[in-house]
Amino acid sequence: MSEVIYTPPPDEGLDLIHVDEALIVVNKPEGLLSVPGRGEDRQDCMVHRVQQRFPEALTVHRLDMATSGLLVFARGEAMQRALSVLFQDRQVDKRYVAVVQGLLAQDHGEVNLPLIADWPNRPRQMVCFERGKPSQTLYEVLACDPQKDETRVALTPVTGRSHQLRVHMLALGHPMLGDPFYGDADSQARAPRLLLHAEALSLPHPVSGERVHWACAAPF
């Protein structure tokens, strides 16, 4: 598979959703890496942009380059450890919105399919019942457009595997629109970007313990 050319969006300042003494929440734009990639041409990323304003900011989790939405950064190593534990212990609730090709047969459901890296075609992932890691996604139909043959869905990842939402929707027969890795020519041509956005996130605050919630509407 040919490597995707990296053309990050221009730096127009941070779209800050929340800032306090422990953490920073930003709305990551589509097309920007969460962390640096390999090579000098892949150093512009969300964490570096955040560190220009908050030098102590450290990565806690990631979003795919093509995915937009809520991304949390820790302020300092102690907060990074505390937040990382919350993610590892699945105390963080995340909700995404996507637009997929076709009309889903059910209004809601779940996908339980093990995933593994498709090594000859990295960074693609694939379903593998022999060696894949358990992966679960809950989905709910938000709106259908029979004329366009498209469905808007809310997705809740129970696990956090790489490309999980994209591969699980593909496995249902409904690739996300604008997906350069998993869509066919038709679904790719229907949108100028991957129509996947991290729209809501909640977790116990690492200092107060109180559950906090953030939301950021999808730009599509």
Side-chain angles (χ1 to χ4, degrees), residues 18-128:
H18 175 84
V19 178
D20 64 29
E21 75 281 6
L23 53 86
I24 301 156
V25 184
V26 299
N27 177 22
K28 185 188 84 68
E30 177 272 333
L32 183 66
L33 290 167
S34 293
V35 297
R38 292 181 179 178
E40 288 299 318
D41 61 333
R42 290 177 172 252
Q43 295 308 297
D44 184 11
C45 60
M46 196 72 255
V47 67
H48 284 173
R49 293 187 183 188
V50 172
Q51 287 172 344
Q52 289 177 13
R53 182 164 172 184
F54 304 97
E56 74 284 4
L58 296 171
T59 300
V60 177
H61 68 123
R62 305 178 186 185
L63 292 176
D64 291 344
M65 179 182 75
T67 305
S68 57
L70 296 172
L71 198 56
V72 177
F73 292 92
R75 302 190 73 173
E77 293 183 357
M79 289 300 102
Q80 184 187 41
R81 287 191 294 271
L83 286 164
S84 295
V85 168
L86 296 178
F87 276 85
Q88 292 167 7
D89 291 348
R90 298 184 185 175
Q91 296 188 56
V92 180
D93 293 329
K94 293 174 282 186
R95 174 182 159 111
Y96 294 72
V97 62
V99 181
V100 302
Q101 186 178 37
L103 306 178
L104 274 70
Q106 298 178 311
D107 287 339
H108 57 84
E110 64 180 71
V111 184
N112 290 282
L113 291 171
L115 301 180
I116 193 171
D118 183 0
W119 288 102
N121 298 300
R122 294 178 67 193
R124 282 178 57 106
Q125 308 290 306
M126 65 180 185
V127 175
C128 179

Side-chain angles (χ1 to χ4, degrees), residues 100-102 148-150 177-178 185-192 195:
V100 302
Q101 186 178 37
K148 291 184 176 180
D149 193 35
E150 297 173 2
L177 301 191
D186 178 42
S187 63
Q188 289 183 37
R190 290 196 195 188
L195 298 189

